[in-house]
Amino acid sequence: NWDARAAAAKALGACLELLAQRTDEQLRRRCEEVFVEADRVLQSDAKFLPGVLLALKELLHSNPPGDLFTSARRMDKVVGPVRTAIASKNRTVRLSGFLLLPGLARAQTWGHRVIKMDMSAVVLGVLKAIDDQQDAGLCFRVLADLVSEQKLLALPWAGSGLTKAADVLRRTSRKGKGPVCWEAVEFVGDVAAGLGREVHGLLVEGESGVLEAMLDTGLTERTWRALQKVVLASPGLKVAIQEALLNQIAATLLGPEADNDSLCVAGQPTGDLEQQTQALVCLADFDWDGQPREQMTQFAINHVLGVIESDLKLGIRKAAISACCQALLPPGLALRRGKVADLLSGILGRLIAVGGADGDQQL
């Protein structure tokens, strides 16, 4: 049972983490005992391979760089079963092998020349496994961990990973069928964080369309936080991503025909309140640096103030207030006389009016 094995391995990892808080000697001794037992079990019956690999994964995680895997013979006892698992036709065995790859990648960065494994070649197997929808999430988590461990060494296959992410998201986004594969969304952000400016070429020159596929998943926190990582890694994409998000926020609050110049006349946005609240949280917390201040202020007047002044639920109104205060009045903003100052003065007056008239103390 995969879930039972995974839970047991997680418990093992928690125990090793507690031991690490005591003495190095205690951790080394227990890791040695686990390794010897794992090797004994594996030698006795190959059917225990998935469980053994999950245990070894926890050992690699708890022993960086440690002295448990410093010999070629020891590492062979890890790499050998991983090779066997990755080549297996059994899904459970294959996935357990994939999960060890980030640990081996970390070991390679320690300078272990004893590890003879071409990660780029092995990754092809992980990319292929993404085609099986039930395994896609786990595979994207493995690939994200590999990028985190190997950084620029992941460049040869990162583009293929982004293309896979776009394909999966197009199949599962709100415009597609089935639940969104959020691991694919987070993978894109992790690739950006791991590769830094090198990701720009993959996103701009490549034809994956992954950013458009991410935006189709909606304005959830997981999506816009991943996009924030892309913006930090590739400033050249900032304005395009900001404008796409603003258009989507407007459409979410006022309907698909809304744009940045339309007015919230009735002050009662229609549609899903949860999605609208998510849109307002995105407006409050995303980095809008670089957007013209007048445009952002007018956006608040057109799309946000009507929500604050409505009789909607407290949660969405508080999110709207936060959007006004945090996104549109950033700390340290120096205001001079002019249109922006007049617009902000109007916003402040309307906020004060709501605060004085509304019976809810929180508002």
Side-chain angles (χ1 to χ4, degrees):
N1 183 288
W2 173 266
D3 291 337
R5 292 189 182 104
K10 188 175 181 179
L12 170 63
C15 292
L16 294 175
E17 188 175 337
L18 287 173
L19 286 171
Q21 299 172 12
R22 297 178 183 177
T23 66
D24 290 342
E25 178 58 34
Q26 284 181 304
L27 178 62
R28 278 195 298 270
R29 186 170 69 252
R30 295 305 181 190
C31 284
E32 177 72 23
E33 291 173 356
V34 173
F35 184 87
V36 170
E37 178 64 14
D39 184 50
R40 183 193 68 77
V41 170
L42 187 59
Q43 297 300 324
S44 66
D45 196 329
K47 72 179 182 182
F48 296 118
L49 179 57
V52 169
L53 290 176
L54 290 174
L56 291 175
K57 169 182 172 289
E58 297 300 331
L59 286 183
L60 280 169
H61 180 74
S62 67
N63 203 249
D67 55 4
L68 185 62
F69 301 105
T70 53
S71 72
R73 186 169 176 232
R74 278 285 172 88
M75 287 310 302
D76 283 343
K77 289 187 175 184
V78 178
V79 174
V82 171
R83 289 183 186 277
T84 300
I86 291 174
S88 174
K89 294 182 179 181
N90 181 291
R91 173 178 173 266
T92 301
V93 174
R94 190 168 59 251
L95 293 180
S96 62
F98 289 162
L99 287 171
L100 245 81
L101 295 178
L104 291 178
R106 188 183 308 117
Q108 283 185 326
T109 64
W110 303 338
H112 281 292
R113 298 179 182 176
V114 294
I115 300 180
K116 297 182 174 120
M117 180 176 279
D118 182 355
M119 285 296 172
S120 295
V122 171
V123 163
L124 293 178
V126 183
L127 290 170
K128 184 178 179 181
I130 290 174
D131 295 334
D132 188 334
Q133 189 170 337
Q134 64 178 333
D135 298 338
L138 182 145
C139 290
F140 278 121
R141 289 197 299 273
V142 169
L143 292 176
D145 288 342
L146 281 172
V147 172
S148 176
E149 295 297 342
Q150 296 206 311
K151 307 295 183 187
L152 296 181
L153 293 177
L155 267 174
W157 55 263
S160 297
L162 293 174
T163 300
K164 285 283 188 180
D167 292 342
V168 168
L169 291 175
R170 277 191 285 266
R171 292 199 306 266
T172 63
S173 71
R174 62 182 181 178
K175 293 183 179 179
K177 298 178 180 179
V180 174
C181 180
W182 294 113
E183 291 86 354
V185 172
E186 293 167 343
F187 167 72
V188 179
D190 291 337
V191 168
L195 299 185
R197 293 184 180 273
E198 295 293 336
V199 80
H200 184 85
L202 297 177
L203 294 172
V204 175
E205 298 169 10
E207 299 179 355
S208 67
V210 69
L211 295 181
E212 293 81 359
M214 290 175 70
L215 287 166
D216 281 343
T217 64
L219 290 168
T220 67
E221 184 172 351
R222 296 170 87 169
T223 297
W224 61 258
R225 287 203 182 280
L227 288 170
Q228 185 72 75
K229 291 181 180 179
V230 173
V231 166
L232 290 173
S234 181
L237 294 172
K238 176 186 283 189
V239 173
I241 291 175
Q242 287 175 337
E243 291 179 352
L245 286 173
L246 286 174
N247 287 334
Q248 198 160 343
I249 290 170
T252 301
L253 291 175
L254 303 178
E257 63 280 346
D259 55 48
N260 286 358
D261 297 321
S262 62
L263 294 175
C264 182
V265 178
Q268 292 280 357
T270 60
D272 188 300
L273 287 183
E274 182 179 352
Q275 291 182 7
Q276 291 162 356
T277 303
Q278 290 175 340
L280 291 166
V281 171
C282 175
L283 184 60
D285 292 348
F286 198 79
D287 177 12
W288 302 108
D289 182 46
Q291 285 292 314
R293 184 53 48 190
E294 181 179 340
Q295 176 182 327
M296 292 299 295
T297 308
Q298 191 65 56
F299 188 94
I301 294 172
N302 292 352
H303 304 304
V304 183
L305 281 176
V307 179
I308 298 172
E309 295 169 336
S310 72
D311 58 359
L312 293 172
K313 291 183 178 181
L314 176 63
I316 187 171
R317 296 176 70 197
K318 288 175 66 177
I321 292 172
S322 180
C324 276
C325 296
Q326 295 182 40
L328 309 180
L329 286 171
L333 175 64
L335 285 179
R336 300 176 181 177
R337 293 183 181 274
K339 186 174 182 179
V340 174
D342 292 341
L343 290 172
L344 290 173
S345 178
I347 290 176
L348 182 59
R350 290 171 69 175
L351 288 175
I352 291 174
V354 172
D358 198 287
D360 194 301
Q361 293 292 327
Q362 293 187 59
L363 287 180

